[in-house]
Amino acid sequence: MTDIFGVPIVVLLGQLLLGLINGSFYALLSLGLAIIFGMLNVINFAHGAFYMLGGFAAWLLLSALGIGYWETLIAAPLMVGALGAVVERLFLKRLYRVDHLYSLLLTFGIALMLEGLFRHVYGAAGKPYPIPPSLTGGINLGFMFLPMYRAWVIVASLAVCIATWLAIERTKLGAYLRAATENPGLVQAFGINVPFMLTATYAFCVGLAGFAGALAAPLYQVSPGMGSSVIIVVFAVVVIGGMGSIGGAIVTALALGIIEGLTKTFYPAASSIAVFVVMVLVILIRPSGLFSREA
Amino acid sequence: MAEAPLLDVKGLEAWYGESHVLHGIDFDVRKGEVVTLIGRNGAGKTTTLRSLIGVVGKRRGACSYKGADLLKVAPHKVARLGIGYVPEERGIFSSLTVLENLLFPPAWQAGGMAVDEIYGLFPNLKGRDSTSGTRLSGGEQQMLAIGRILRTGADFILLDEPTEGIAPVIIEEIGAALRILKDRGMTIILVEQNLRFAASIADRHYVLDQGKVVDEISNNALDANMDRLNRYLGV
Ligand SMILES: Nc1ncnc2c1ncn2[C@@H]1O[C@H](COP(=O)(O)OP(=O)(O)O)[C@@H](O)[C@H]1O
Ligand SMILES: [Mg+2]
């Protein structure tokens, strides 16, 4: 009863939980990437850097200004989102009409610059961020011990992902966004300010990355490299789920987090490549992604 | 007769990137009129409509509408002046259902039609609410493209080839609907290649060729000028 293929069930559940947590971060990040790609046709390589900025915003707000976790959870995404709006207005906006290789290179350059800047100013070492007092401790589930903060991360990211998905699929604003991906000129002719909508979309998605970064701060340490290490996996998630499929990005992210966790349990040596093996298989079998609309 | 035209276009030029497509278009439309733009493929009819609402690259000239210069109005504010655009490719959104498409454009002016009224005008659309917009037949999509504009309170409609590629029965229905709209006082610019259809509702016709207005013919004089027209159209 307590072993599965020689692995104690407690260890297995522990790894599944870790997988689910990683999956939650993948979900927050890949959701934003998928929306940005769908709406702006931009492959946002700076997404990891904005995630890192979210983490640093949390750390700086606390260490320099003494601003606590809950305020930070609101403030960090707003700050990162505002920076995103500036980036879109100043740079990305000019690149919509040319091949999307240009915006890819631009965002890649922004990522390198931000990471380099933070490495230069704060050093490469991780900065610790304490778990907020209200979320310390854990719950004994009988078969395992569930730390409160981890449970909170899963709940918070899933809630944000589902709310975002609902807003896009079920609201009038979402209908404007979906229609603008099909025919921006016509949506504009109906009196909707499409350029503003694109700025807001980019700011919002990048803000989601900032939210994920702040959420991650107490769990992992805040460091300049935290974005670039996660973003590669997140791109794999988006490729597997299908570029531009929002629901697909969320489901794929969670599933891949769990697959990673399972690989860690049963065959640890392969855990860091599991996601990419899945990606290769998906590209071979269904190149447009598991959840893409075109079959 | 002294009343100023609702829309007065003078010397309108337009470019797609480097290519100069409109070379000085002049025409006017009075309130309540149906005016057509006719001319062979590539004459610049679609570009003229697109220039009015600001979806081409560069424009020059003057388009005065209700006292404003349309060329100076931001593209997303044109609809707010009561201008409704029905594009040549119809522009039904495939990610939206029929009802979502119908409810899509915001209503910027009072006096728009209710959904039931629109269904009264285009009964084919009735009962199709949850169908994906692009599942409709071409003719039905055309009706949807016109219908969704009527909800917005627009009183000036730009219609780009509503009969193109559409079955004759449906053309009849669209014609009937347009005559009802005209009777209600709607002003319409109709781009059309189907002369018989154009003649059945229009007051005046402008002939475009190579990015210029080359002739103006009133609907009464249409029959008498058929030879001339056919020469323009290269029939
Ligand atoms: N998006 C575009 N880019 C470049 N040239 C275009 C574009 N659309 C139309 N044209 C050119 O502009 C001219 C006028 O086209 P258009 O206004 O569509 O004509 P019409 O509607 O009268 O058939 C044509 O020569 C066409 O090839
Ligand atoms: Mg045309």
Side-chain angles (χ1 to χ4, degrees), chain A residues 237-292:
Chain A
V237 168
V238 174
V239 170
I240 293 167
M243 281 288 205
S245 162
I246 294 160
I250 301 175
V251 174
T252 311
L254 292 173
L256 285 177
I258 290 171
I259 289 176
E260 249 184 357
L262 288 177
T263 321
K264 250 181 209 135
T265 320
F266 293 107
Y267 190 45
S271 67
S272 60
I273 61 159
V275 169
F276 302 101
V277 172
V278 176
M279 183 179 88
V280 169
L281 290 177
V282 168
I283 288 177
L284 286 175
I285 296 161
R286 201 180 147 91
S288 60
L290 293 178
F291 294 87
S292 65

Side-chain angles (χ1 to χ4, degrees), chain B residues 44 64 122-123 159 185 230:
Chain B
S64 86
F122 298 117
L159 261 179
N230 283 333

Side-chain angles (χ1 to χ4, degrees), chain B residues 41-42 44-47 88 160-161 164 191 193:
Chain B
N41 274 332
K45 308 179 294 293
T46 297
T47 307
E88 188 170 11
D160 200 344
E161 302 211 32
E164 192 185 11
V191 167
Q193 310 237 26

Side-chain angles (χ1 to χ4, degrees), chain B residues 21-22 25 36-51 88 160-161 189-193 206-209 211 233:
Chain B
V21 173
L22 299 186
I25 297 270
T36 67
L37 305 179
I38 52 188
R40 57 183 103 189
N41 274 332
K45 308 179 294 293
T46 297
T47 307
T48 303
L49 296 190
R50 291 165 62 93
S51 299
E88 188 170 11
D160 200 344
E161 302 211 32
I189 299 182
L190 174 67
V191 167
E192 199 41 85
Q193 310 237 26
Y206 286 99
V207 184
L208 268 68
D209 192 35
L233 296 178

Side-chain angles (χ1 to χ4, degrees), chain A residues 57-261:
Chain A
W59 178 72
L60 286 169
L61 285 173
L62 183 67
S63 58
L65 301 173
I67 293 174
Y69 176 81
W70 297 104
E71 293 84 352
T72 290
L73 220 44
I74 309 281
L78 289 179
M79 290 160 68
V80 175
L83 181 67
V86 172
V87 166
E88 198 274 347
R89 281 268 123 150
L90 286 184
F91 307 117
L92 274 179
K93 190 179 154 196
R94 298 163 201 276
L95 300 177
Y96 294 147
R97 289 203 196 96
V98 294
D99 193 290
H100 58 217
L101 215 50
Y102 287 89
S103 53
L104 187 153
L105 288 174
L106 172 84
T107 54
F108 188 51
I110 291 175
L112 291 178
M113 279 164 54
L114 285 175
E115 192 177 329
L117 181 71
F118 275 75
R119 210 180 283 282
H120 179 73
V121 176
Y122 297 105
K127 316 277 184 234
Y129 187 100
I131 290 179
S134 46
L135 291 174
T136 49
I139 320 160
N140 195 341
L141 297 177
F143 54 90
M144 69 178 287
F145 181 76
L146 177 63
M148 274 299 274
Y149 191 77
R150 296 182 180 228
W152 157 247
V153 165
I154 296 174
V155 171
S157 33
L158 280 187
V160 169
C161 286
I162 291 170
T164 306
W165 180 81
L166 283 176
I168 288 184
E169 296 295 327
R170 295 288 136 82
T171 66
K172 187 82 194 204
L173 180 67
Y176 290 157
L177 286 168
R178 280 178 284 144
T181 61
E182 283 187 49
N183 194 340
L186 187 58
V187 172
Q188 183 138 307
F190 289 152
I192 294 152
N193 191 343
V194 173
F196 173 79
M197 220 164 66
L198 294 181
T199 307
T201 302
Y202 190 76
F204 176 79
C205 294
V206 155
L208 281 184
F211 177 75
L215 208 56
L219 216 47
Y220 316 113
Q221 293 188 330
V222 174
S223 72
M226 68 191 267
S228 48
S229 59
V230 76
I231 199 64
I232 302 300
V233 176
V234 171
F235 267 105
V237 168
V238 174
V239 170
I240 293 167
M243 281 288 205
S245 162
I246 294 160
I250 301 175
V251 174
T252 311
L254 292 173
L256 285 177
I258 290 171
I259 289 176
E260 249 184 357

Side-chain angles (χ1 to χ4, degrees), chain A residues 169 172 174-183 185-195 293, chain B residues 53 55 75-76 79-80 85 87 89-96 100 103-106 108 148-149:
Chain A
E169 296 295 327
K172 187 82 194 204
Y176 290 157
L177 286 168
R178 280 178 284 144
T181 61
E182 283 187 49
N183 194 340
L186 187 58
V187 172
Q188 183 138 307
F190 289 152
I192 294 152
N193 191 343
V194 173
R293 293 210 174 124
Chain B
I53 60 163
V55 288
H76 69 273
R80 301 172 192 195
Y85 176 53
E89 72 285 356
R90 298 174 195 123
I92 300 305
F93 300 109
S94 63
S95 58
L96 306 182
E100 282 177 317
L103 299 179
F104 185 83
W108 296 111
R148 69 180 166 189
I149 287 305

